[in-house]
Amino acid sequence: MSELQDSVFAMLNQTEGLQAFSKTDNGSVEDYIPSFLPELDKMLGGGGLPVKFISEVYGSASSGKSTLSIQFIKNFQHMEHSYTVYIDVEGTANTQRFIDLGANPERILTLTPKRGKDGKVDPLTIEVIGQKIIDTLAMINQADPKAVVLFIWDSIAVTQSQMEDNTELGSQVVGQQAKALNTVGKKIAANLQFNNGVLLTFNQAREDFNSTLPAQYRTQKTVGGLAWEHLLSTRFLIKSGKKITEKSTDKTGIGKVSKLQVVKNKVSDSWSNTFELQLIGRKGFDIYYNTVVKGQELGLVSSGRFPKYISDNGEEVKGATLIKLVEEFTKPENFDVFRELWQKEVKHYFPNVYPCLFNVHSYFLEKNEPLIKGLRKHYMDIQEELPVEQQSYNYKHFMEKLENKELDKELIDEVESY
């Protein structure tokens, strides 16, 4: 590069809004919100919900969309600098459901429709929600620069545009919902990037009966159109599967299989074909049940009658049925063995690094999340053995922040104690 080019670049670097691309983290995922269901985290882009982006889960009614979101919220609440805002358009969110699934509703802000003095309810419009997301994100980021804010939008399918809301009943306003989502979505996306926000939206899916494909392969149509889908970094479909029973002869189910497919992923190439999770009644996507089932698939837990797991130390945990084995693992005295099993599954799907352990803003401490005990050090040892060019971006970025003392002291102290 000539001296003239050097001087021009130096001048442009001093121009507001311009800087060398190498000095930005645009498009890089510095933080993840994990589900702690390892296969799902892998499929979602390498570590869970990617921070700075919009993700969407879509499916039919009662397919488990809101239940899955609470799985993320519960784990997110164990992280430092974490803030959750639940946008309940229909006003149907159930506080007890959050409690049953392990989330603390007192640590969740909510935006709901308002009732006017005349008794009429003013619905939340796309424009109102978009502005609230932008304003809330900026306010929290100003108060806590390391904050990560998770917004749950339940759901965009029933959210009207301002024009639709102002139109008399019975009138047709074609395409206004999609147009409003496209316009507002672009503004939200920019603010998520620069203020460390995450937006997880729900969308209703219906079969496209005009599809030329056979009935069993009909495409799933959703609200928002192609422009909205383009804004999404991660998009996954959830469908209800077969009933789960404790015994094969039981007629009453204890849950159902949920089939998930990541159909779009802009932050990773890890998306693939459909995979299954177990949705267990009031326990939702229970980590114990899902870990045992996945353990059987991976050959870590025996199948058939009296399934069991034998730890590396020879300790045996078994039950008369799969659900009985799950119940054994939930006992405090068996937690260490369960953690070993869960971590083996994490290592299977993430052989070199589990990115959420190397977040630089909102992060886990072992004292707040005992499941990860020893796991971060395990991956640090692996990464250190790799050539620098093969090391994970998240690990290198984390270590750079660590060396510069840009991480919180309690996180630095924990890492340096390994």
Side-chain angles (χ1 to χ4, degrees):
M1 184 178 292
S2 68
E3 292 184 8
L4 176 59
Q5 284 179 290
D6 285 339
S7 64
V8 171
F9 265 96
M11 176 189 69
L12 293 174
N13 264 306
Q14 303 301 316
T15 304
E16 184 176 356
L18 289 177
Q19 61 177 316
F21 196 83
S22 61
K23 295 181 180 179
T24 74
D25 287 310
N26 294 344
S28 300
V29 184
E30 299 176 288
D31 305 270
Y32 290 90
I33 300 175
S35 67
F36 279 172
L37 302 170
E39 186 174 17
L40 173 60
D41 287 343
K42 179 69 174 180
M43 294 303 111
L44 288 181
L49 292 178
V51 175
K52 297 184 179 181
F53 295 95
I54 303 174
S55 297
E56 179 180 270
V57 54
Y58 68 103
S60 59
S62 302
S63 57
K65 299 186 296 295
S66 60
T67 300
L68 188 58
S69 75
I70 299 175
Q71 180 74 21
F72 288 108
I73 292 172
K74 176 182 67 175
N75 294 333
F76 189 49
Q77 289 184 330
H78 293 176
M79 299 165 68
E80 301 298 314
H81 304 289
S82 61
Y83 303 84
T84 303
V85 180
Y86 199 101
I87 302 165
D88 184 15
V89 177
E90 297 178 276
T92 57
N94 188 321
T95 300
Q96 188 58 47
R97 183 63 171 162
F98 284 88
I99 296 172
D100 290 342
L101 297 179
N104 181 2
E106 294 184 1
R107 300 287 294 176
I108 301 172
L109 299 170
T110 186
L111 180 63
T112 56
K114 292 184 178 180
R115 184 185 297 274
K117 293 181 180 179
D118 59 359
K120 296 179 181 179
V121 175
D122 294 326
L124 295 171
T125 65
I126 293 169
E127 291 84 352
V128 168
I129 290 172
Q131 193 60 54
K132 197 67 175 180
I133 289 174
I134 293 169
D135 293 344
T136 303
L137 186 56
M139 181 172 58
I140 293 176
N141 191 265
Q142 286 291 313
D144 182 357
K146 291 189 177 180
V148 170
V149 187
L150 170 62
F151 295 94
I152 308 289
W153 188 338
D154 182 10
S155 70
I156 67 168
V158 297
T159 311
Q160 301 179 78
S161 68
Q162 194 74 55
M163 181 175 289
E164 289 172 308
D165 183 42
N166 292 335
T167 302
E168 293 186 8
L169 294 175
S171 300
Q172 296 294 320
V173 189
V174 179
Q176 288 306 312
Q177 186 183 37
K179 291 178 181 178
L181 277 171
N182 183 30
T183 300
V184 171
K186 290 176 181 177
K187 295 179 180 180
I188 291 174
N191 281 269
L192 295 177
Q193 278 284 332
F194 290 94
N195 283 332
N196 294 322
V198 190
L199 173 58
L200 175 61
T201 67
F202 303 157
N203 209 334
Q204 291 293 109
R206 61 180 176 82
E207 287 188 345
D208 180 7
F209 289 100
N210 293 320
S211 173
T212 57
L213 298 174
Q216 65 267 36
Y217 297 112
R218 282 189 181 127
T219 57
Q220 300 286 321
K221 294 190 70 174
T222 55
V223 165
L226 294 176
W228 169 252
E229 291 178 22
H230 179 72
L231 289 170
L232 304 174
S233 68
T234 306
R235 191 167 191 254
F236 54 107
L237 170 66
I238 182 169
K239 294 182 179 180
S240 295
K242 64 182 180 180
K243 179 172 62 177
I244 298 173
T245 58
E246 182 173 353
K247 299 177 181 177
S248 59
T249 55
D250 290 348
K251 294 184 178 180
T252 303
I254 61 172
K256 61 184 178 182
V257 174
S258 287
K259 297 183 177 182
L260 287 88
Q261 182 181 16
V262 178
V263 297
K264 180 181 181 181
N265 196 329
K266 291 169 66 175
V267 299
S268 174
D269 59 359
S270 61
W271 54 285
S272 69
N273 295 324
T274 301
F275 61 100
E276 296 182 347
L277 294 176
Q278 320 299 311
L279 179 56
I280 307 300
R282 295 180 66 88
K283 294 184 179 179
F285 293 96
D286 181 55
I287 188 173
Y288 288 94
Y289 196 96
N290 277 277
T291 298
V292 171
V293 170
K294 187 56 63 176
Q296 289 184 326
E297 292 180 20
L298 298 176
L300 300 171
V301 177
S302 67
S303 301
R305 296 188 62 186
F306 293 98
K308 63 183 177 181
Y309 171 72
I310 301 176
S311 73
D312 292 343
N313 292 330
E315 189 173 348
E316 181 179 278
V317 179
K318 68 178 181 178
T321 62
L322 187 147
I323 192 66
K324 295 299 182 185
L325 175 58
V326 172
E327 291 173 359
E328 286 297 313
F329 272 124
T330 62
K331 295 179 179 179
E333 61 267 28
N334 290 328
F335 177 77
D336 288 347
V337 179
F338 173 76
R339 175 171 56 206
E340 178 186 286
L341 173 61
W342 177 79
Q343 289 194 5
K344 284 183 179 179
E345 295 179 15
V346 172
K347 293 170 185 176
H348 172 82
Y349 288 102
F350 297 91
N352 291 324
V353 69
Y354 194 22
C356 64
L357 299 182
F358 298 97
N359 288 354
V360 297
H361 295 99
S362 183
Y363 56 86
F364 288 106
L365 291 172
E366 290 185 1
K367 67 178 182 180
N368 297 331
E369 186 46 81
L371 266 179
I372 69 166
K373 183 179 179 181
L375 197 55
R376 184 156 40 215
K377 182 181 186 303
H378 166 80
Y379 285 116
M380 290 178 68
D381 291 342
I382 289 176
Q383 290 291 309
E384 284 302 309
E385 291 295 320
L386 296 173
V388 174
E389 62 273 12
Q390 295 181 21
Q391 290 177 345
S392 159
Y393 164 80
N394 296 88
Y395 173 74
K396 289 191 289 188
H397 191 52
F398 179 88
M399 294 305 293
E400 180 182 320
K401 296 284 187 180
L402 179 72
E403 292 171 7
N404 294 333
K405 303 296 181 182
E406 295 177 30
L407 302 177
D408 283 359
K409 185 178 184 304
E410 58 183 351
L411 179 58
I412 293 175
D413 290 344
E414 179 172 297
V415 173
E416 291 183 344
S417 71
Y418 296 157

